[in-house]
Amino acid sequence: MNATERLLRAAKLSEIEQLSGLAETAAVVGDICRFVHALQRERGASTIYLGSAGRRFTHQRRQRIADSQLAEATLRQRLDEWASFDDANRTSRHLANARLLTRIAAVWHGFDSLPPIRDDIEAQRLTADDAVRLFNRLISNLLSVIFEAADTASDTEITRVLVCLFHFIQGKELAGQERACGAFGFTLGVFDDAHRQTLQQLIDAQHRCFETFGEFASTELLSHWQQELDQPIHLAIAQLRDLAIQATPLPNDLDDPGEQWYAIMTQRIDAMKDIEDRLVEELQRSCRDRIHQAEREIENSVGLREALNGELWAAPVNLLLEVPDAEPASSLGALTASTMESRFSRSLVGLVQTQHARLQQISDELESTRKTLRDRKQIDRAKGLLMTHQRLSEEEAYRLMRKTAMDQSKPLIEVARNVIDLVDMLSRERS
């Protein structure tokens, strides 16, 4: 084995190591999502309990606490394995990312703070807004673990799934906050201006999250999501939203509107959990597939050398068009940098307003990743057109576009667009 082959093999081994770490992370994602889901339900039940001065949801809240404790025990065991630390070697057994370990420490601190929070809720020493804020902080830390750990993702397909998962989980958490905010107002029988504004912001932010999810989700997932949106329950949700947002008193003839709101919003969020589970499965499957592919490639020294020949310095054929490399995907670690900024002193209204701005910032930071994925779709389409019209293999078509881009000092995406435009123009002329 010569030096070139050893270096290529080392690069492939490094890729497998990164993918294995991400696969390990994907296994933890399911446990985190289950715990977050349980906390979201406990948060909503606690809001009705506090809003009714302890007269409603006493039994339901205790059941939700039991569910949370069960999910917490599973997650504690998983994170305990993650956080095992060898002081002599200064490394975690699984991960040496300092920011990730800090996130896990914050989650662990949140575990320990839950019993006194529950005691304060039981004794009604907290307001509903205070309780929601404390649950939000722990959930925020939990979600940040997922994306801090996913920071090493560089594969296009895995990045696509992570972008979908991030936006869907954010949208589901905003839906949970809407459930808590609405349950409080309907239980009291009134929405003040601040809570009406909060509710509208939560609805708008969900729309943006689910819109981005829909842009990059697989066809199968989109079909499941559309089936959910077509359910009659969404009409009832829209009607109750209208009552809450209107600057008029709630009708007196509503039958337990707080519990009605909680029930239908819980049904909606439980349906979202099914989509979330499918996304986690897709992430885990993508990791497994990429690892198996890399393991096959590492044993094929001829294939590794041929792949090397397909890089920019190779000079096969000429094409009369042009295209640039897509910008590299931005680090997914930036996705969660702003999720840790909650402060105990903020009201629910202030927290949601801050989160509204934070989501916009995250959306801006994700634009590079979204652009990369959009460009990849166009490059793949152009490659397919060259394969069809020039009778090239997939590798030859891609190599041809890369060589043209290099020769003309143009980005690859520009060459791809030119190919697509030319084929479209010729197709119109023939017709």
Side-chain angles (χ1 to χ4, degrees):
M1 184 181 294
N2 60 32
T4 299
E5 291 172 339
R6 287 198 301 272
L7 287 168
L8 289 172
R9 182 178 177 84
K12 193 59 67 175
L13 284 170
S14 177
E15 179 185 355
I16 291 173
E17 184 178 0
Q18 289 183 340
L19 288 168
S20 298
L22 186 56
E24 205 169 301
T25 298
V28 180
V29 166
D31 289 335
I32 291 179
C33 288
R34 279 186 285 275
F35 184 42
V36 167
H37 187 68
L39 287 175
Q40 289 169 337
R41 300 186 77 179
E42 182 184 346
R43 176 179 58 192
S46 298
T47 302
I48 292 183
Y49 176 82
L50 290 169
S52 65
R55 290 187 295 271
R56 294 182 180 276
F57 262 48
T58 301
H59 173 73
Q60 291 93 326
R61 174 176 166 270
R62 289 172 182 166
Q63 181 59 53
R64 298 288 80 81
I65 290 174
D67 294 341
S68 295
Q69 289 171 331
L70 183 62
E72 177 188 338
T74 302
L75 183 56
R76 272 183 181 270
Q77 182 178 358
R78 179 86 71 173
L79 292 185
D80 188 45
E81 295 173 0
W82 260 27
S84 56
F85 193 81
D86 183 348
D87 192 61
N89 297 323
R90 302 291 181 188
T91 58
S92 165
R93 191 178 69 172
H94 293 284
L95 302 152
N97 185 315
R99 292 183 304 177
L100 174 60
L101 294 176
T102 301
R103 299 295 189 251
I104 294 175
V107 168
W108 216 269
H109 178 70
F111 288 156
D112 296 337
S113 69
L114 268 174
I117 290 172
R118 288 167 176 152
D119 289 343
D120 287 342
I121 292 173
E122 180 76 25
Q124 301 178 59
R125 289 190 291 265
L126 290 174
T127 67
D129 281 0
D130 288 337
V132 168
R133 182 173 62 252
L134 294 173
F135 277 110
N136 288 359
R137 182 181 178 86
L138 177 54
I139 291 172
S140 175
N141 287 340
L142 283 161
L143 297 185
S144 74
V145 168
I146 296 174
F147 296 101
E148 192 66 61
D151 192 37
T152 56
S154 58
D155 178 81
T156 302
E157 175 61 17
I158 293 175
T159 301
R160 179 192 65 78
V161 180
L162 282 168
V163 169
C164 285
L165 181 60
F166 172 76
H167 283 88
F168 197 84
I169 287 177
Q170 286 287 340
K172 180 171 171 283
E173 166 56 11
L174 290 166
Q177 292 184 29
E178 182 192 1
R179 173 175 59 186
C181 180
F184 179 60
F186 279 118
T187 300
L188 284 179
V190 63
F191 284 86
D192 58 23
D193 290 340
H195 283 86
R196 278 198 297 271
Q197 182 181 4
T198 297
L199 207 62
Q200 186 62 63
Q201 288 178 336
L202 288 168
I203 294 168
D204 293 342
Q206 285 174 68
H207 177 74
R208 289 193 296 273
C209 286
F210 293 135
E211 192 175 57
T212 303
F213 155 76
E215 184 176 358
F216 295 109
S218 65
T219 303
E220 181 183 1
L221 267 179
L222 280 177
S223 175
H224 285 292
W225 180 235
Q226 189 56 54
Q227 288 174 18
E228 165 54 27
L229 294 179
D230 291 339
Q231 295 300 311
I233 192 174
H234 290 279
L235 178 59
I237 291 173
Q239 291 171 342
L240 287 175
R241 279 174 169 174
D242 288 342
L243 288 176
I245 292 171
Q246 291 173 1
T248 56
L250 294 175
N252 295 325
D253 57 351
L254 293 178
D255 184 20
D256 291 332
E259 296 187 27
Q260 181 184 352
W261 168 265
Y262 180 84
I264 62 174
M265 288 298 288
T266 296
Q267 184 176 335
R268 177 192 180 217
I269 294 172
D270 286 350
M272 289 181 190
K273 182 65 170 63
D274 177 64
I275 303 293
E276 184 179 87
D277 289 343
R278 291 173 186 271
L279 274 167
V280 171
E281 290 173 6
E282 187 176 349
L283 174 62
Q284 294 171 338
R285 185 171 60 251
S286 296
C287 290
R288 289 194 301 268
D289 291 346
R290 283 294 295 118
I291 290 172
H292 293 156
Q293 180 183 341
E295 289 172 342
R296 289 193 301 270
E297 291 171 349
I298 202 172
E299 301 303 328
N300 182 4
S301 58
V302 175
L304 289 175
R305 288 196 301 272
E306 288 179 351
L308 193 63
N309 292 334
E311 293 300 323
L312 277 177
W313 51 81
V317 220
N318 248 338
L319 184 71
L320 301 177
L321 302 169
E322 6 181 295
V323 197
D325 283 327
E327 296 176 9
S330 61
S331 166
L332 286 174
L335 298 180
T336 58
S338 61
T339 63
M340 304 286 291
E341 300 303 322
S342 301
R343 293 292 183 269
F344 285 96
S345 59
R346 292 179 184 166
S347 67
L348 171 62
V349 174
L351 184 65
V352 171
Q353 289 172 338
T354 302
Q355 188 173 33
H356 172 71
R358 188 179 302 147
L359 282 170
Q360 184 58 51
Q361 177 189 349
I362 291 172
S363 178
D364 294 341
E365 292 169 352
L366 272 173
E367 185 53 37
S368 175
T369 301
R370 289 195 289 261
K371 180 180 182 300
T372 298
L373 293 173
R374 292 186 189 104
D375 289 351
R376 176 62 58 186
K377 290 180 183 178
Q378 289 191 301
I379 290 170
D380 288 344
R381 183 185 174 198
K383 185 169 58 178
L385 291 172
L386 287 174
M387 291 167 63
T388 300
H389 293 278
Q390 299 297 322
R391 300 183 184 279
L392 301 175
S393 68
E394 181 177 3
E395 181 181 347
E396 289 171 338
Y398 185 69
R399 191 182 301 169
L400 179 57
M401 289 196 297
R402 290 290 297 267
K403 177 60 170 57
T404 303
M406 181 187 69
D407 290 346
Q408 299 185 4
S409 300
K410 297 289 181 66
L412 185 59
I413 183 60
E414 188 177 336
V415 174
R417 288 169 183 154
N418 287 340
V419 170
I420 294 169
D421 290 343
L422 179 60
V423 172
D424 288 345
M425 181 184 68
L426 294 175
S427 299
R428 286 194 300 270
E429 289 179 354
R430 291 193 189 102
S431 61

